[in-house]
Amino acid sequence: MGLLSDPVRRRALARLVLRLNAPLCVLSYVAGIAWFLALVFPPLTQRTYMSENAMGSTMVEEQFAGGDRARAFARDFAAHRKKSGALPVAWLERTMRSVGLEVYTQSFSRKLPFPDETHERYMVSGTNVYGILRAPRAASTESLVLTVPCGSDSTNSQAVGLLLALAAHFRGQIYWAKDIVFLVTEHDLLGTEAWLEAYHDVNVTGMQSSPLQGRAGAIQAAVALELSSDVVTSLDVAVEGLNGQLPNLDLLNLFQTFCQKGGLLCTLQGKLQPEDWTSLDGPLQGLQTLLLMVLRQASGRPHGSHGLFLRYRVEALTLRGINSFRQYKYDLVAVGKALEGMFRKLNHLLERLHQSFFLYLLPGLSRFVSIGLYMPAVGFLLLGVGLASLVAPLLISQAMGLALYVLPVLGQHVATQHFPVAEAEAVVLTLLAIYAAGLALPHNTHRVVSTQAPDRGWMALKLVALIYLALQLGCIALTNFSLGFLLATTMVPTAALAKPHGPRTLYAALLVLTSPAATLLGSLFLWRELQEAPLSLAEGWQLFLAALAQGVLEHHTYGALLFPLLSLGLYPCWLLFWNVLFWK
Amino acid sequence: MAAPLVLVLVVAVTVRAALFRSSLAEFISERVEVVSPLSSWKRVVEGLSLLDLGVSPYSGAVFHETPLIIYLFHFLIDYAELVFMITDALTAIALYFAIQDFNKVVFKKQKLLLELDQYAPDVAELIRTPMEMRYIPLKVALFYLLNPYTILSCVAKSTCAINNTLIAFFILTTIKGSAFLSAIFLALATYQSLYPLTLFVPGLLYLLQTRHINPNSAAAVHTCENEEQSLLDLFLGVCHDVCGKPSGNHLPLLLPSQLLGFHPRSLWLYINVFFYTIPLAIKLKEHPIFFMFIQIAVIAIFKSYPTVGDVALYMAFFPVWNHLYRFLRNIFVLTCIIIVCSLLFPVLWHLWIYAGSANSNFFYAITLTFNVGQILLISDYFYAFLRREYYLTHGLYLTAKDGTEAMLVLK
């Protein structure tokens, strides 16, 4: 309490902070960026290791040999699917029953808020088919899930074939202590969401689905499989889930262990991992992988149906088979053996996976950075913000944010009546229109705000805006580090610099370049650049518009938080800085 | 002044009605910061259904409310939302009229002290004028009704709102000078949760002082004290006897110890609330309403299951002391602490329960920080109040012996 109550020391401290304010802000910002870049180098990045003792030893001997059967099932499935145009429910039921599972179906339907142009769907209805393998000597209290999402654009027939062959193989074993659910969903992620909601008896996204007839106990872990070719050159793994949630690192370690055991090539983001982390090449590629992971996590999209399991505290991964131009190919038996090994180890689990990390970043498949080591980066960035009447601009900015959130979807019908655009385009164009309209605000709010103390007015507004920004970024960074870091990197410097005096056009240009929409556009270009498929300006703009539509759609279908955070939280905050800049 | 108050009431009721109809109502009624096991609506409904089935509501250790709440909601269960909106409105109206009368008393007392030359000569800018005090009652009602904490408590249907109404009526009747009514309301408030008992002391001090200004004999003072005391005891006893036997079982006295099975060591934490009464009574015997404000804040901080509804009640009083603003030293830091903690509550709860990554330590660290912020806030107000009193009697521009500006240090 000495500092708070002793006036002499307070005054000295205040003078010190005021004098060093600008250099401290710059220094802390640079320190934050430097710390982030240093995350790929050895002392900050560690090798992964298995933390769960129950999954420690790899003394499992895989015996799966149903490669031919899997291919036969796959061909049958593809033929039936082509014939019926949708998921061949009757065939799946028959086959699963013949393999020896308890088969159930679930129908679901959903009307999307506006037509989805990328997947070309609007009124979605489908059926999920799942079979439960009951554990012979256990009480059906816990279960594992192997799921294959089948959409209209990705038929995944080899995955369905492998699923059925594995089911047949697993049915003959006696060592299962948990039930195994083999789930085939229609309309990929929408079907998975419907099944999960019905399984856990909640209704988070407004999906209409029939209740489940059969359940198998609390789900301990899930694996989503996507295979579209008879042979694969490598197995790719995706970890980022909805709203940036990640599965327990042990699940990734498990996957890697079994790929190494079987000699199967495993990749992350489609690229092989560097072995050598001592020279500069390894860390540089690690930086590319890290940045891509940050961008994917920040987008908050579920990159695979595993992403939807994570919300229910079920650790899940998506495995994708890649068939590239590599010479050595692996057939379905190799993939099946890896899956068998994983499921046998998961069978050993006594409790849910909790020993290893839930929050981490991956510079490579066998390297990770834990939250304790990457949090200081965002801490340094936000330190700069904390260190450097108002009600009317605040209310108006928040009202603009609310308009940005609510109006595009509500107003799409009005827009399509008056303009020759499709609904999805109408939503995106309304978004952009309201966003740009916010730029014209300062000229109007000045009539409302009194000008009796012009100088103090903008300083107080900037103070409130900075605290608001720091608060939001802090809260966002706690739940989704990548999004918080990305937004802090772009918004903090220009927010700190905003003031009415000085080169106004330069500051205005900088502020527009670092606004949330521009950050989204920039990160799209960066993402494609990192994937070595750079975009031209026109393509980039088209992708940006598609990303805006997807963002709004995902918020309404899965509850993704990127759209509400940007429109209700960060856009009003940015508008406040825009108001400060144009203060008369 | 009635029209602005009615307007504020209409706006408040609209906001609450809109939130009741939205999908947020479910989410808010389960938040730990807004409802506690002692004030949750779900438990009231549980107790009512147990009563309907003929079982004692107190079996099962779920229901911790008083029998009076059962009887109140037995008839009003269908209008629950309306009841809570009306209780909030009543609290605001009670506070409005209470502060209106209090301002008159303050102004009268100030005039008396000015005439008696009790104030130093250069304190003209500290003297309060009726003009500046004109809008204070409206601001108090506004602060209470449009405080996000109050709105959240109302939407969650937490019975803390009913406790707030009873305390507000207690304050109103005390300031109006009616000992009988204030004893009734204090008894009802104490009946619901034990802590308002500490408000007996400031209430008594206030009643004695107002009767002292209107001349009365010493005997009347003593009878007033006895009257209050006996009314309180009588009422508590009557409540227990009349309402205490719904199904023949003896109603246990609603103390935290017996109902919630706490550890004996934490008894000291609950008694903490009562510890502060006597020192505050000694220091603030000339200012019983400020004493009441500090006591309500102490109750909100140290009670066993604090919720934001308790915080909202003492926050409503801030406009009454806005003449202390120039003496508050840490108000900016404290406002930031309170806002940051309020925002971090749901984030850390989400991380702990849903993301599976943080643990209870993070969440309870934030509750502790919130409490530390509140403690610093009321000690800041206390310091500012004492400082103003010092300046009033000793002069505003103090010089040390060598003529330089003197610095006041609190020892």
Side-chain angles (χ1 to χ4, degrees):
Chain A
M1 273 292 282
L3 198 59
L4 280 179
S5 54
D6 185 354
V8 176
R9 268 186 269 169
R10 276 161 70 103
R11 246 175 266 171
L13 184 68
R15 263 198 295 264
L16 185 70
V17 172
L18 276 173
R19 216 173 26 166
L20 295 178
N21 187 34
L24 263 181
C25 288
V26 172
L27 194 64
S28 70
Y29 183 77
V30 170
I33 303 288
W35 187 282
F36 182 76
L37 291 174
L39 285 176
V40 294
F41 290 97
L44 287 177
T45 175
Q46 306 159 273
R47 292 195 80 101
T48 54
Y49 52 91
M50 193 71 88
S51 305
E52 172 72 50
N53 283 331
M55 300 204 302
S57 65
T58 49
M59 296 296 286
V60 168
E61 201 176 308
E62 300 91 6
Q63 289 161 344
F64 179 66
D68 296 325
R69 209 165 170 195
R71 274 190 293 274
F73 280 137
R75 270 193 291 276
D76 268 348
F77 177 74
H80 276 91
R81 198 204 160 99
K82 208 161 164 182
K83 202 166 64 175
S84 67
L87 199 68
V89 174
W91 180 85
L92 267 173
E93 275 187 276
R94 235 182 7 248
T95 322
M96 280 191 183
R97 213 164 272 135
S98 73
V99 158
L101 306 174
E102 272 177 41
V103 186
Y104 303 96
T105 56
Q106 181 210 15
S107 59
F108 64 93
S109 71
R110 173 87 212 240
K111 178 161 170 277
L112 298 178
F114 55 88
D116 185 357
E117 308 247 299
T118 25
H119 300 284
E120 280 158 24
R121 54 190 182 195
Y122 184 36
M123 309 263 281
V124 174
S125 66
T127 318
N128 297 330
V129 182
Y130 64 105
I132 305 182
L133 169 67
R134 297 283 179 195
R137 294 188 288 189
S140 288
T141 45
E142 295 168 349
S143 57
L144 302 167
V145 175
L146 177 61
T147 174
V148 171
C150 290
S152 49
D153 42 349
S154 55
T155 50
N156 267 339
S157 34
Q158 275 80 8
V160 172
L162 187 57
L163 176 131
L164 293 166
L166 274 173
H169 175 73
F170 285 175
R171 186 73 176 81
Q173 312 302 325
I174 56 165
Y175 44 68
W176 295 113
K178 303 188 204 303
D179 292 349
I180 308 186
V181 179
F182 296 90
L183 172 66
V184 180
T185 60
E186 197 169 0
H187 297 295
D188 44 305
L189 269 70
L190 282 173
T192 318
E193 181 64 30
W195 190 81
L196 280 169
E197 280 187 13
Y199 196 88
H200 292 94
D201 210 12
V202 291
N203 197 342
V204 191
T205 61
M207 179 92 64
Q208 281 119 12
S209 54
S210 61
L212 291 185
Q213 304 297 322
R215 283 190 171 77
I219 307 179
Q220 305 290 85
V223 175
L225 192 59
E226 291 177 24
L227 275 180
S228 302
S229 55
D230 275 350
V231 288
V232 292
T233 51
S234 63
L235 264 187
D236 195 52
V237 65
V239 290
E240 301 87 1
L242 186 65
N243 292 328
Q245 221 177 340
L246 299 169
N248 197 304
L249 194 57
D250 264 343
L251 200 55
L252 196 65
N253 300 338
L254 184 71
F255 164 70
Q256 216 199 336
T257 316
F258 276 101
C259 284
Q260 273 170 357
K261 187 165 181 241
L264 198 55
L265 264 187
C266 46
T267 58
L268 182 68
Q269 296 164 7
K271 288 196 299 286
L272 272 183
Q273 300 308 301
E275 291 304 321
D276 182 19
W277 286 81
T278 49
S279 71
L280 202 56
D281 290 329
L284 270 183
Q285 198 187 343
L287 185 62
Q288 191 183 9
T289 315
L290 187 74
L291 280 177
L292 267 173
M293 181 178 173
V294 162
L295 285 173
R296 286 159 71 119
Q297 201 186 5
S299 74
R301 313 185 58 196
H303 287 89
S305 40
H306 74 287
L308 298 172
F309 280 86
L310 293 172
R311 197 181 4 203
Y312 299 91
R313 273 289 81 211
V314 176
E315 312 306 333
L317 278 180
T318 295
L319 302 180
R320 289 192 181 103
I322 299 182
N323 193 7
S324 69
F325 299 105
R326 223 171 269 282
Q327 220 174 3
Y328 194 78
K329 309 234 187 238
Y330 302 91
D331 64 348
L332 290 179
V333 178
V335 180
K337 277 194 175 160
L339 281 172
E340 182 192 356
M342 281 178 73
F343 270 82
R344 285 192 67 175
K345 294 306 282 191
L346 288 171
N347 190 33
H348 289 171
L349 279 179
L350 301 165
E351 322 166 80
R352 276 181 206 269
L353 287 168
H354 65 279
Q355 296 282 4
S356 188
F357 300 91
F358 286 101
L359 298 165
Y360 50 87
L361 287 177
L362 295 173
L365 198 53
S366 53
R367 295 276 193 291
F368 76 101
V369 186
S370 85
I371 181 170
L373 293 171
Y374 68 62
M375 259 314 179
V378 87
F380 280 127
L381 286 183
L382 293 180
L383 187 65
V385 181
L387 277 181
S389 251
L390 295 183
V391 183
L394 282 167
L395 278 181
I396 294 176
S397 308
Q398 205 62 51
M400 282 300 291
L402 200 65
L404 193 65
Y405 177 71
V406 168
L407 281 183
V409 179
L410 277 186
Q412 54 170 313
H413 298 293
V414 175
T416 45
Q417 275 170 4
H418 294 280
F419 300 99
V421 287
E423 274 107 346
E425 285 174 353
V427 170
V428 171
L429 289 174
T430 320
L431 264 178
L432 289 174
I434 298 180
Y435 196 89
L439 295 180
L441 267 185
H443 302 289
N444 299 321
T445 52
H446 274 109
R447 299 195 199 124
V448 185
V449 174
S450 71
T451 52
Q452 57 188 58
D455 211 41
R456 300 237 2 236
W458 72 263
M459 279 201 269
L461 182 62
K462 187 172 173 187
L463 177 69
V464 170
L466 281 172
I467 293 178
Y468 190 30
L469 182 70
L471 255 181
Q472 281 188 19
L473 290 177
C475 290
I476 293 176
L478 273 178
T479 45
N480 187 346
F481 165 79
S482 304
L483 185 60
F485 185 78
L486 208 58
L487 289 168
T489 323
T490 50
M491 287 187 83
V492 162
T494 49
L497 280 178
K499 49 176 174 280
H501 321 298
R504 205 173 255 199
T505 33
L506 177 67
Y507 284 159
L510 275 175
L511 203 56
V512 169
L513 277 177
T514 55
S515 68
T519 310
L520 181 61
L521 183 62
S523 53
L524 278 174
F525 277 107
L526 178 64
W527 175 55
R528 291 296 284 263
E529 192 65 49
L530 287 171
Q531 281 187 328
E532 283 142 20
L535 292 168
S536 67
L537 272 177
E539 281 173 359
W541 181 253
Q542 287 299 320
L543 195 61
F544 175 62
L545 294 179
L548 283 178
Q550 281 295 309
V552 177
L553 208 54
E554 275 176 15
H555 168 64
H556 283 101
T557 48
Y558 310 128
L561 289 176
L562 185 66
F563 173 58
L565 276 176
L566 286 186
S567 61
L568 287 175
L570 284 158
Y571 176 63
C573 197
W574 181 84
L575 269 185
L576 287 176
F577 288 109
W578 186 255
N579 271 313
V580 166
L581 190 60
F582 284 95
W583 197 270
K584 285 209 202 334
Chain B
M1 291 300 271
L5 180 63
V6 169
L7 183 65
V8 167
L9 282 172
V10 165
V11 169
V13 167
T14 315
V15 169
R16 283 162 173 75
L19 278 172
F20 269 128
R21 290 282 161 264
S22 77
S23 57
L24 287 174
E26 281 282 326
F27 171 67
I28 293 175
S29 59
E30 290 169 7
R31 298 295 319 157
V32 172
E33 310 91 21
V34 184
V35 294
S36 71
L38 297 179
S39 64
S40 160
W41 178 247
K42 259 199 280 197
R43 292 171 185 250
V44 171
V45 171
E46 167 90 14
L48 282 172
S49 20
L50 283 173
L51 189 65
D52 284 339
L53 289 171
V55 180
S56 159
Y58 295 96
S59 57
V62 164
F63 183 74
H64 301 302
E65 301 282 354
T66 65
L68 279 179
I69 299 277
I70 300 187
Y71 284 125
L72 176 71
F73 283 109
H74 191 60
F75 304 108
L76 295 175
I77 185 74
D78 295 323
Y79 309 106
E81 296 172 359
L82 209 59
V83 167
F84 281 100
M85 286 200 274
I86 291 178
T87 48
D88 267 357
L90 283 175
T91 315
I93 294 175
L95 287 176
Y96 178 87
F97 287 112
I99 300 299
Q100 214 173 35
D101 278 351
F102 175 59
N103 280 344
K104 292 195 191 113
V105 167
V106 159
F107 193 60
K108 224 182 341 185
K109 191 167 160 190
Q110 189 175 255
K111 208 159 100 172
L112 185 72
L113 288 172
L114 268 174
E115 279 167 14
L116 293 176
D117 248 346
Q118 295 266 358
Y119 288 158
D122 57 350
V123 295
E125 57 193 70
L126 291 180
I127 303 289
R128 309 179 64 192
T129 61
M131 273 315 290
E132 80 185 34
M133 302 204 295
R134 200 166 161 237
Y135 285 105
I136 290 180
L138 187 65
K139 280 192 209 166
V140 167
L142 194 77
F143 259 53
Y144 184 74
L145 283 174
L146 297 181
N147 192 347
Y149 293 150
T150 328
I151 298 179
L152 285 175
S153 285
C154 181
V155 173
K157 298 202 272 256
S158 156
T159 53
C160 176
I162 298 177
N163 204 8
N164 285 355
T165 312
L166 293 171
I167 296 180
F169 270 98
F170 161 69
I171 297 177
L172 175 65
T173 48
T174 311
I175 293 184
K176 288 275 190 202
S178 159
F180 178 66
L181 284 175
S182 82
I184 290 184
F185 283 114
L186 187 62
L188 281 171
T190 310
Y191 183 58
Q192 195 176 359
S193 81
L194 193 58
Y195 303 102
L197 188 62
T198 52
L199 293 175
F200 177 64
V201 179
L204 188 66
L205 278 173
Y206 186 84
L207 284 169
L208 287 177
Q209 283 177 8
T210 46
R211 293 192 186 186
H212 199 59
I213 290 182
N214 307 326
N216 252 333
S217 64
V221 167
H222 278 293
T223 45
C224 156
E225 209 181 280
N226 289 339
E227 179 184 297
E228 267 233 23
Q229 187 93 44
S230 55
L231 258 178
L232 199 64
D233 294 336
L234 178 69
F235 198 73
L236 273 173
V238 162
C239 279
H240 278 293
D241 285 332
V242 165
C243 317
K245 298 181 164 89
S247 61
N249 302 328
H250 183 66
L251 177 70
L253 190 59
L254 289 174
L255 280 176
S257 55
Q258 284 153 9
L259 266 186
L260 302 162
F262 78 128
H263 188 90
R265 249 190 300 177
S266 43
L267 176 67
W268 298 114
L269 194 63
Y270 304 143
I271 294 203
N272 213 352
V273 178
F274 302 95
F275 278 166
Y276 291 102
T277 313
I278 302 198
L280 281 174
I282 296 172
K283 189 74 191 170
L284 290 174
K285 59 179 178 292
E286 303 294 320
H287 314 283
I289 297 296
F290 189 70
F291 178 14
M292 216 179 281
F293 161 67
I294 299 278
Q295 189 63 56
I296 293 177
V298 162
I299 292 176
I301 297 172
F302 291 109
K303 73 190 287 191
S304 48
Y305 286 90
T307 61
V308 293
D310 307 303
V311 174
L313 183 62
Y314 77 79
M315 275 194 176
F317 284 93
F318 286 157
V320 184
W321 321 113
N322 64 3
H323 58 281
L324 298 174
Y325 182 74
R326 58 183 285 182
F327 300 114
L328 290 170
R329 290 175 310 161
N330 301 319
I331 193 69
F332 175 65
V333 172
L334 292 173
T335 319
C336 284
I337 291 181
I338 297 216
I339 294 179
V340 168
C341 288
S342 309
L343 276 176
L344 279 179
F345 273 128
V347 171
L348 288 172
W349 177 264
H350 172 86
L351 269 181
W352 172 26
I353 303 286
Y354 295 107
S357 73
N359 55 34
S360 58
N361 289 325
F362 292 66
F363 184 73
Y364 289 110
I366 291 299
T367 57
L368 281 177
T369 317
F370 189 70
N371 277 343
V372 165
Q374 283 185 79
I375 293 172
L376 288 176
L377 185 66
I378 57 168
S379 57
D380 215 14
Y381 263 95
F382 192 49
Y383 171 81
F385 191 84
L386 292 178
R387 199 164 151 188
R388 181 175 173 270
E389 295 300 312
Y390 186 84
Y391 279 145
L392 276 176
T393 47
H394 293 86
L396 192 54
Y397 298 104
L398 302 166
T399 53
K401 291 200 184 67
D402 56 0
T404 55
E405 190 189 333
M407 212 157 48
L408 281 181
V409 176
L410 188 69
K411 283 243 182 274

